[in-house]
Amino acid sequence: MAEEKIVNKNENKLKIPQELPLLALKNSVVFPHLATPLAVGRKVSLEAINSASKEHQIIVVVAQKEKDKEHIKKEDLYDIGTACALKQVVTVSPNEIKCIVEGISRVRVKYFTQTEPYLRVFTEVLEQKPYEEDEEIENLDTTIRMQVEKFIQLGIPLPTAFVVAATNISRPDVQADLFASYLLSNIHQKQKILEETNLKKRLKKLTEYLGEELRKFEVQSQIRDKVQKEVGKTQREYYLRQQLRAIKKELGESDESIALTQELEKKLQKKKLPKEAEEKVKKEIKRLEDIPSMSPEHSYVRTYVDCMLEIPWSESTKDILDLKKAKNTLDNDHYDLDKVKEHILDYLAVKKLKGKSTKGPILCFVGPPGVGKTSLGQSIAKSLGRKFVRMSIGGIRDEAEIRGHRRTYVGALPGRIVQGLTQAGTNNPVFMLDEIDKVGADFRGDPSSALLEVLDPEQNNSFRDHYLEVPLDLSNVMFITTANILDTIHPALIDRMETLELPGYSTEEKTHIAEKFLVPRQLKEQGIEKYGVKFNRDAILLIIEEYTREAGVRNLEREIANVCKKIAREIVEKNKHPKYITRKKVGYYLGISRVQPSEIEDKNRIGVATGLAYTPVGGDIILIESTYYKGNGQLILTGKLGDVMKESAKAAISYVHSRAKEFEINENLFSKSDVHIHVPAGAIPKDGPSAGVAITSSLVSAFTKIPVLRDVGMTGEITLRGRVLPIGGLKEKLLAAKRAGLKKVVLPAKNKKDLEEVPQSITRGLKLVFVNNIDEVIGHTLEKNPIKKNPVEA
């Protein structure tokens, strides 16, 4: 930094030439009277320094408008710069020079005289406008000095040379340049101070700019102080807490955190955890000691440790291995369902022989609503002497519901599997996953895929919940899932489970269930048990047939409850009630019939065959109607038929056409007639291949004009060669046949083996005919057989 008198001396001695080399600065402004060190690296700048060194030792220094621009033109530079004397030049390397320049005077660049290999310009010296030190200048000068003192008070680091110069220099114009050079950080603001030749205006601008800088530094200072204060407070609290801990230790007292960790350690010692889980809990308890109790992380770790200690890692209930007692429990709670009961008893027998190492079975109960799937799970738990946990997973779409959330999330919790085990308090409960066919999936994951590990006996011995972070053994848990249909369940999931179908109940079974379970329960529920009300069997049958239409017994129980409520009201209002509930009383209490049972035709009709269908609520009969009229060979299908049923109809007419000669049908009818097949109840969708036999019988009847026997039901899929293939839902279809009053049922021969699973109470009174081909079907379903030649080969 040059002193004022020396600069004045330089000003008097040095004469500034009009044409000078130009040095462009990227992020700096040089002021008159100030010495400034510069590092020069651009080729054009190096050439300018070398040229000035050889000439007058004077160079024009001008700031760039954009600091990042490497190749500059005239429009990239400000018009006002500073003529500087080169005081010292040191060549560091061929590509770098370090120099010190001392500002002499403000100059204006009038025009460029050279652009290669360096810039030369023609300049004009800007003289300082004369001024008198009046009161306004003095006030501005005082304000600026006060602002400078504030900078120093805020602790902003300033070089000693600046402090000395600020004290010794008395000229306000030189002071303004000095303060602007050192205290302003914005290049554009510095340039405006340089360009201003009027002292008053320059001082006013400087005051404004210094005020902006002060406000910025004051905010930074406040933030810095606040941070230091917070850090200091935390350190102080930690130091005091450590002292308090040491003092309490000396006094033989224990602080709250130590007492908590000791309590958790005692719980851990009592609990028998796997090695990996125990090490994890020990590590978290140790962390808990070092975390301040007011910290949010303290509660997260505490919640985790409590969760780990609540999980039943080794606690289990002892299974009741008395098969006779288990069978009685199952029989008392549920009627029929022999297949499921046998499976449970088989498992108990194996466990009794093998011992503890038996893996829990994973069962899937599939059946229509109301057949007792959920309540059966409770009975199984009761018969085994285990705790029962039910979890409805219908509609869940988040994988975290099964696997839990990772502990990085605020409010993280273990999945519902772990929560269910904790709720049960044992590691071997009967765990029911209800409505598994209604699990969804979206952007949060696929819960079905997460269940693959849970329901795999080979994997669930090391199930990993995201929250626990350690494996959990689920192999002792007996998982039972329930579903209405299998179609919507993930195929890999079905493969892991043993599927047990729970078909709908027959009328006789429903009657038995109502008499034994539903009526006594509803009499108790509605508060009329002590009044000795009894339901006649005929009354129960009426409710089953004309007020409910279902495979299960849920609506049946609801209607029985409605009757009981009416009786309760009569007791309260009239103080009287019927002792026996008859069919007449049911009609009085429940109103007109809501369901009309399916009825067969009143007489044998041409082109109308009685088929048997399977629906989600049980079996039913369907009437297939066929006719033909003059046309051009089109096939018209109506009755809201599905694709498979439409294909069955096409196969049937193709078969009848191919056998027209044997059936004694005029072949011209097929080309000159349109055939219309209709299945009544047009609003109800219908599909499946098992109507093929009924469609074929209906078509043969229509073309041969031989009526179909009205009391004969039929079911079976057909091929183009006339073979009859097996069908499903045999029990439900036979139930429908019996309910509708059919006397004979034609069935595929390959379904004969399935009769073993159909109770005799259903087949009693029905004549079952098993057939291999359509020729045999026609012989049993039409009033007379149109085939006179040898039947087709099966």
Side-chain angles (χ1 to χ4, degrees):
M1 177 67 67
E3 292 184 4
E4 185 180 5
K5 60 182 181 180
I6 297 174
V7 173
N8 288 341
K9 185 180 177 183
N10 286 345
E11 277 186 333
N12 294 332
K13 283 186 175 183
L14 287 174
K15 185 179 178 183
I16 301 171
Q18 286 185 306
E19 188 179 353
L20 290 168
L22 184 142
L23 176 64
L25 299 182
K26 289 183 177 180
N27 55 1
S28 182
V29 175
V30 176
F31 287 88
H33 315 295
L34 301 177
T36 307
L38 300 174
V40 181
R42 284 186 286 191
K43 187 177 179 182
V44 64
S45 301
L46 295 171
E47 292 288 343
I49 294 287
N50 291 331
S51 174
S53 300
K54 292 174 185 176
E55 294 180 16
H56 310 286
Q57 297 286 315
I58 296 174
I59 193 167
V60 177
V61 179
V62 183
Q64 292 179 198
K65 293 178 181 177
E66 296 180 20
K67 64 178 183 179
D68 297 326
K69 204 156 189 180
E70 288 292 331
H71 303 288
I72 53 171
K73 299 176 183 177
K74 180 182 178 181
E75 56 269 19
D76 298 326
L77 300 171
Y78 288 105
D79 294 334
I80 308 297
T82 306
C84 299
L86 284 171
K87 289 296 178 182
Q88 187 179 346
V89 179
V90 177
T91 304
V92 179
S93 70
N95 297 322
E96 186 181 0
I97 289 176
K98 288 187 177 180
C99 63
I100 297 175
V101 297
E102 188 180 276
I104 302 171
S105 176
R106 289 171 169 81
V107 294
R108 184 191 302 279
V109 176
K110 297 193 78 175
Y111 57 85
F112 281 69
T113 59
Q114 177 183 313
T115 56
E116 294 292 341
Y118 63 93
L119 302 174
R120 285 183 75 86
V121 292
F122 192 85
T123 63
E124 173 191 5
V125 176
L126 297 176
E127 297 294 342
Q128 172 75 49
K129 289 184 180 179
Y131 66 90
E132 291 182 7
E133 292 191 13
D134 57 10
E135 189 178 348
E136 187 178 1
I137 288 178
E138 286 181 4
N139 289 337
L140 288 168
D141 187 50
T142 304
T143 303
I144 290 170
R145 283 187 173 279
M146 290 173 67
Q147 288 175 320
V148 172
E149 285 178 9
K150 279 190 179 179
F151 272 98
I152 295 168
Q153 288 170 5
L154 287 170
I156 295 162
L158 294 167
T160 308
F162 168 79
V163 180
V164 173
T167 308
N168 295 332
I169 295 172
S170 58
R171 281 175 52 182
D173 59 329
V174 178
Q175 276 187 348
D177 291 345
L178 175 69
F179 295 154
S181 177
Y182 276 96
L183 300 177
L184 296 181
S185 58
N186 190 302
I187 299 298
H188 302 296
Q189 290 180 351
K190 286 184 178 183
Q191 182 65 29
K192 286 182 180 178
I193 297 292
L194 180 68
E195 291 175 357
E196 189 56 68
T197 55
N198 184 299
L199 181 60
K200 276 188 184 180
K201 290 182 179 178
R202 192 190 307 169
L203 292 174
K204 284 179 182 177
K205 283 184 179 178
L206 181 59
T207 306
E208 181 188 340
Y209 295 155
L210 288 177
E212 290 178 11
E213 288 290 323
L214 272 173
R215 284 192 291 274
K216 185 171 71 176
F217 281 122
E218 280 172 352
V219 172
Q220 290 177 354
S221 178
Q222 287 172 3
I223 293 170
R224 186 169 60 250
D225 290 346
K226 192 174 181 182
V227 170
Q228 286 176 349
K229 189 178 178 182
E230 288 294 326
V231 171
K233 186 181 177 184
T234 305
Q235 289 175 340
R236 181 172 171 273
E237 282 181 1
Y238 177 75
Y239 178 68
L240 290 173
R241 192 172 280 108
Q242 291 299 110
Q243 281 189 325
L244 183 63
R245 184 176 290 184
I247 291 166
K248 286 189 173 183
K249 193 174 181 181
E250 287 295 322
L251 293 172
E253 299 176 2
S254 59
D255 65 2
E256 192 177 325
S257 63
I258 292 174
L260 173 64
T261 52
Q262 286 176 349
E263 181 190 343
L264 293 173
E265 283 171 353
K266 283 179 183 176
K267 284 184 179 178
L268 180 60
Q269 288 172 1
K270 292 178 183 177
K271 195 95 171 171
K272 191 177 179 183
L273 270 69
K275 187 178 179 182
E276 191 175 344
E278 187 176 357
E279 288 174 358
K280 181 73 176 174
V281 174
K282 282 181 180 176
K283 185 180 176 183
E284 294 298 322
I285 292 174
K286 194 173 181 182
R287 276 186 66 203
L288 206 58
E289 288 181 7
D290 301 327
I291 301 171
S293 58
M294 299 302 290
S295 169
E297 193 177 358
H298 185 277
S299 63
Y300 301 156
V301 177
R302 171 74 191 274
T303 304
Y304 175 77
V305 173
D306 285 342
C307 175
M308 291 288 280
L309 293 175
E310 286 173 3
I311 294 171
W313 299 92
S314 55
E315 295 86 347
S316 60
T317 52
K318 193 175 181 181
D319 286 343
I320 298 172
L321 299 178
D322 187 338
L323 269 64
K324 191 175 181 181
K325 189 176 179 181
K327 187 176 186 305
N328 289 337
T329 303
L330 291 169
D331 288 340
N332 290 336
D333 289 349
H334 285 82
Y335 177 73
D336 196 29
L337 305 178
D338 294 332
K339 204 172 183 180
V340 180
K341 292 174 183 177
E342 283 179 14
H343 194 93
I344 300 304
L345 295 173
D346 291 347
Y347 166 72
L348 282 176
V350 171
K351 190 168 181 64
K352 190 170 184 178
L353 293 174
K354 195 176 179 185
K356 289 185 178 180
S357 59
T358 312
K359 291 180 181 178
I362 295 171
L363 308 177
C364 179
F365 296 157
V366 182
V371 295
K373 299 184 294 295
T374 306
S375 59
L376 184 58
Q378 292 174 318
S379 294
I380 290 170
K382 188 178 172 184
S383 67
L384 293 172
R386 294 190 182 189
K387 295 286 184 71
F388 178 73
V389 181
R390 178 186 166 273
M391 181 177 112
S392 179
I393 56 175
I396 68 166
R397 295 176 174 275
D398 190 354
E399 180 202 1
E401 293 275 354
I402 307 297
R403 288 190 186 277
H405 299 85
R406 286 181 172 83
R407 288 172 61 200
T408 49
Y409 295 105
V410 175
L413 286 170
R416 291 173 68 181
I417 300 290
V418 174
Q419 290 179 32
L421 283 182
T422 306
Q423 174 192 336
T426 64
N427 66 1
N428 65 337
V430 174
F431 205 120
M432 174 161 278
L433 301 172
D434 228 350
E435 314 293 354
I436 198 171
D437 56 328
K438 298 170 186 68
V439 173
D442 63 8
F443 64 93
R444 289 168 291 185
D446 183 4
S448 294
S449 300
L451 284 170
L452 292 175
E453 182 185 3
V454 177
L455 300 179
D456 189 341
E458 301 302 321
Q459 296 181 41
N460 66 8
N461 59 350
S462 57
F463 170 69
R464 279 190 177 269
D465 188 285
H466 289 156
Y467 183 78
L468 301 186
E469 299 176 351
V470 292
L472 175 64
D473 187 1
L474 299 178
S475 60
N476 294 320
V477 179
M478 184 178 193
F479 284 104
I480 298 174
T481 64
T482 70
N484 295 126
I485 53 172
L486 290 174
D487 300 349
T488 55
I489 304 177
H490 197 295
L493 204 54
I494 296 173
D495 186 57
R496 283 164 166 75
M497 302 183 292
E498 187 168 346
T499 305
L500 296 174
E501 289 193 12
L502 275 65
Y505 295 112
S506 67
T507 303
E508 288 185 17
E509 288 169 341
K510 286 182 183 180
T511 306
H512 185 90
I513 292 168
E515 288 176 339
K516 190 175 179 183
F517 299 102
L518 306 184
V519 170
R521 184 159 65 195
Q522 285 307 316
L523 290 174
K524 187 177 181 182
E525 285 285 329
Q526 310 309 329
I528 59 173
E529 185 181 20
K530 61 184 178 181
Y531 291 97
V533 178
K534 293 184 179 179
F535 280 70
N536 286 350
R537 175 166 281 216
D538 287 346
I540 294 172
L541 280 170
L542 181 66
I543 297 174
I544 293 169
E545 291 175 353
E546 297 191 16
Y547 291 91
T548 62
R549 184 185 182 85
E550 58 177 345
V553 291
R554 193 170 286 151
N555 286 325
L556 173 59
E557 184 171 14
R558 193 174 293 124
E559 296 301 333
I560 291 171
N562 289 337
V563 172
C564 292
K565 285 172 186 174
K566 298 285 186 185
I567 297 169
R569 185 177 169 187
E570 284 186 358
I571 293 170
V572 173
E573 290 181 350
K574 302 175 183 177
N575 201 22
K576 65 176 184 177
H577 64 279
K579 286 285 184 183
Y580 294 96
I581 305 302
T582 61
R583 290 174 70 93
K584 188 177 179 181
K585 281 289 183 184
V586 168
Y588 172 73
Y589 288 134
L590 298 182
I592 60 172
S593 302
R594 300 189 190 98
V595 178
Q596 292 299 324
S598 301
E599 294 181 355
I600 58 176
E601 290 290 310
D602 55 349
K603 64 177 182 177
N604 299 342
R605 295 183 183 274
I606 295 171
V608 181
T610 306
L612 300 174
Y614 173 71
T615 67
V617 296
D620 202 356
I621 65 167
I622 55 171
L623 298 176
I624 311 287
E625 300 176 349
S626 300
T627 187
Y628 68 92
Y629 44 85
K630 192 173 181 182
N632 54 6
Q634 287 187 1
L635 175 61
I636 301 162
L637 302 170
T638 55
K640 207 169 184 180
L641 309 184
D643 291 339
V644 177
M645 199 165 180
K646 287 178 181 178
E647 289 171 2
S648 290
K650 290 173 184 176
I653 199 163
S654 295
Y655 173 76
V656 173
H657 193 172
S658 68
R659 304 283 317 281
K661 192 174 181 181
E662 287 86 343
F663 290 134
E664 296 186 353
I665 301 170
N666 186 353
E667 292 198 22
N668 293 329
L669 285 176
F670 294 96
S671 58
K672 295 179 180 180
S673 304
D674 289 344
V675 178
H676 189 163
I677 299 173
H678 176 69
V679 183
I684 302 171
K686 308 167 192 73
D687 205 1
S690 63
V693 164
I695 294 171
T696 307
S697 298
S698 174
L699 286 170
V700 172
S701 170
F703 282 117
T704 60
K705 304 297 181 185
I706 301 172
V708 182
L709 296 170
R710 70 183 187 90
D711 56 358
V712 176
M714 59 204 83
T715 182
E717 181 182 351
I718 64 160
T719 68
L720 282 175
R721 292 184 296 157
R723 295 179 61 199
V724 178
L725 303 182
I727 46 85
L730 181 63
K731 178 184 173 184
E732 288 78 7
K733 290 179 178 180
L734 291 176
L735 269 172
K738 189 166 187 179
R739 198 184 305 124
L742 297 176
K743 295 178 181 177
K744 185 194 291 186
V745 179
V746 177
L747 300 169
K750 289 186 177 178
N751 280 113
K752 195 168 185 177
K753 63 182 186 305
D754 300 326
L755 273 182
E756 294 178 8
E757 297 180 6
V758 179
Q760 288 186 357
S761 59
I762 296 175
T763 57
R764 194 179 297 119
L766 286 176
K767 184 179 180 182
L768 304 181
V769 178
F770 294 94
V771 296
N772 289 296
N773 54 60
I774 287 294
D775 290 359
E776 294 177 24
V777 172
I778 298 300
H780 289 286
T781 57
L782 270 58
E783 284 187 356
K784 64 176 184 177
N785 193 342
I787 303 172
K788 294 179 180 177
K789 296 185 178 180
N790 293 330
V792 70
E793 291 182 6

